[in-house]
């Protein structure tokens, strides 16, 4: 993530841990499948960008073993501290404003990061620059504009309220510089950055306990911002959280698009 007092979902907020847990449940299987396909093994050097939590970092550390290296970076490394032991090195780093934390990486990976970074172009250049020839880049990011609703099956007042709050969330993100259609651009951007063998796919969770947990944690985390911006009232947010807790809605997350390629 980029350093900004305006970042909407920072790691210090109370609900951040619940959001990371939900992301782990929702997206780790997809991420690990792609990383396996890129041939991560013993002795490899990896850079995990905007790591936030430890699940992907720990998985990479197990794969590269004691002869490998995993550099895990974020602007806030609070939640990375438990994993800061060899072969993992944790660094405070802003991918959108600083030079890469090294060169010659076999793998660079960023998940749900660049959509929030104001200088996404510089961040992507930095990641490509850090790769060795033959090194792989895997970017996974959301595309909230591709599927903007949390309840596409809007058949009742609970679903209509959920979708109105989601629109408010999207407005808050856009006002802080997030690119809500970034996910779909990644394959083109990787080709334009000079990578070869670019491929992509998407994962679109439609309904699961993790989707429900993510919705509740996100709304609680941005509650004050929604109210201050006049996008919702406290009563509406309380009602929505009660609706979520009741478990009667199918709650979606934005599609996560994964794209990868290699440096010649």
């Amino acid at each position: 993530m980029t350093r900004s007092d305006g970042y909407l979902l920072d790691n210090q907020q109370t609900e951040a841990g619940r959001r990371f847990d939900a992301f782990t449940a929702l997206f780790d299987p997809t991420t690990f499948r792609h990383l396996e396909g890129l041939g991560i093994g013993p002795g490899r050097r990896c850079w995990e960008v905007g790591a936030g939590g430890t699940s992907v970092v720990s998985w990479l550390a197990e794969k590269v073993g004691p002869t490998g290296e995993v550099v895990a970076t974020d602007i806030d490394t609070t939640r990375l501290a438990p994993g800061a032991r060899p072969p993992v090195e944790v660094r405070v780093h802003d991918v959108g404003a600083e030079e890469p934390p090294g060169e010659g990486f076999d793998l660079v990976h960023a998940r749900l990061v660049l959509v929030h970074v104001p200088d996404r172009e510089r961040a992507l250049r930095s990641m490509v620059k850090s790769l060795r020839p033959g090194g792989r880049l895997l970017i996974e990011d959301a595309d909230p504009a591709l599927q903007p609703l949390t309840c596409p099956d809007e058949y009742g007042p609970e679903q209509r309220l959920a979708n109105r709050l989601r629109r408010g969330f999207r407005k808050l993100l856009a006002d802080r510089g997030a690119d809500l259609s970034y996910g779909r651009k990644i394959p083109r951007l990787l080709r334009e950055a000079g990578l070869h063998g670019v491929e992509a796919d998407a994962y679109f969770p439609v309904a699961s306990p993790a989707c429900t947990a993510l919705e509740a944690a996100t709304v609680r985390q941005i509650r004050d911002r929604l109210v201050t911006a006049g996008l919702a009232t406290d009563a509406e947010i309380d009602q929505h959280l009660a609706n979520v807790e009741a478990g009667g809605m199918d709650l979606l997350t934005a599609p996560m698009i994964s794209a990868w390629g290699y440096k010649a």
Side-chain angles (χ1 to χ4, degrees), residues 205-230:
V206 173
S208 77
C211 288
T212 301
L214 180 61
E215 175 70 12
T218 300
V219 171
R220 289 191 178 101
Q221 194 164 354
I222 65 172
R223 173 182 198 125
D224 291 344
R225 304 271 194 170
L226 288 169
V227 173
T228 299

Side-chain angles (χ1 to χ4, degrees), residues 172-184:
L172 292 176
L173 286 171
D175 288 347
R176 284 158 179 77
D179 183 349
L180 301 182
S181 59
Y182 189 71
R184 74 192 72 178

Side-chain angles (χ1 to χ4, degrees), residues 10-259:
D10 67 76
N11 294 355
Q12 295 292 332
Q13 291 175 281
T14 304
E15 298 294 332
R18 293 185 178 91
R19 284 175 48 81
F20 282 128
D21 289 344
F23 285 141
T24 294
L26 285 168
F27 298 124
D28 274 8
T30 296
T31 294
F32 296 162
R33 173 172 59 85
H34 288 124
L35 292 172
E36 286 276 15
L38 296 179
I40 300 306
R44 301 290 188 176
R45 298 185 65 237
C46 306
W47 175 19
E48 180 67 16
V49 181
T54 60
S55 66
V56 176
V57 173
S58 298
W59 188 92
L60 287 171
E62 183 177 347
K63 289 294 181 180
V64 304
T67 61
E69 179 185 13
V70 179
V71 179
T73 64
D74 205 328
I75 62 165
D76 180 354
T77 59
T78 304
R79 298 181 183 277
L80 286 171
R85 55 185 177 273
V88 176
E89 178 185 356
V90 173
R91 296 192 194 181
V92 176
H93 180 265
D94 185 342
V95 69
E98 299 178 77
E99 289 298 303
E103 295 188 356
F105 287 108
D106 298 290
L107 168 77
V108 178
H109 172 242
R111 184 174 78 186
L112 304 176
V113 174
L114 293 187
V115 67
H116 299 287
V117 176
D119 197 346
R120 285 173 282 272
E121 183 178 349
R122 174 173 177 169
L124 187 57
R125 286 200 308 268
S126 176
M127 288 187 275
V128 172
K129 177 183 177 181
S130 74
L131 291 169
R132 68 165 177 80
R136 307 283 178 149
L137 177 61
L138 171 62
I139 303 293
E140 301 182 296
D141 231 316
D143 196 312
L146 195 61
Q147 203 307 102
L149 302 177
T150 193
C151 294
D153 185 16
E154 194 180 77
Y155 64 89
E158 295 89 351
Q159 290 73 27
R160 288 191 288 274
L161 176 58
N163 286 336
R164 185 154 63 80
L165 294 185
R166 177 61 60 90
R167 287 192 291 272
F169 177 38
R170 292 175 65 237
K171 184 178 189 313
L172 292 176
L173 286 171
D175 288 347
R176 284 158 179 77
D179 183 349
L180 301 182
S181 59
Y182 189 71
R184 74 192 72 178
K185 303 174 185 177
I186 301 172
R188 169 175 59 83
L189 295 175
L190 294 190
R191 289 194 302 271
E192 291 177 352
L195 295 189
H196 297 261
V198 173
E199 299 180 55
D201 64 17
Y203 174 60
F204 182 19
V206 173
S208 77
C211 288
T212 301
L214 180 61
E215 175 70 12
T218 300
V219 171
R220 289 191 178 101
Q221 194 164 354
I222 65 172
R223 173 182 198 125
D224 291 344
R225 304 271 194 170
L226 288 169
V227 173
T228 299
L231 297 168
T233 66
D234 277 314
E236 288 170 333
I237 293 172
D238 286 341
Q239 183 61 62
H240 175 60
L241 291 172
N243 294 340
V244 171
E245 181 67 23
M249 293 190 293
D250 294 322
L251 298 165
L252 284 67
T253 68
M256 184 180 75
I257 297 175
S258 303

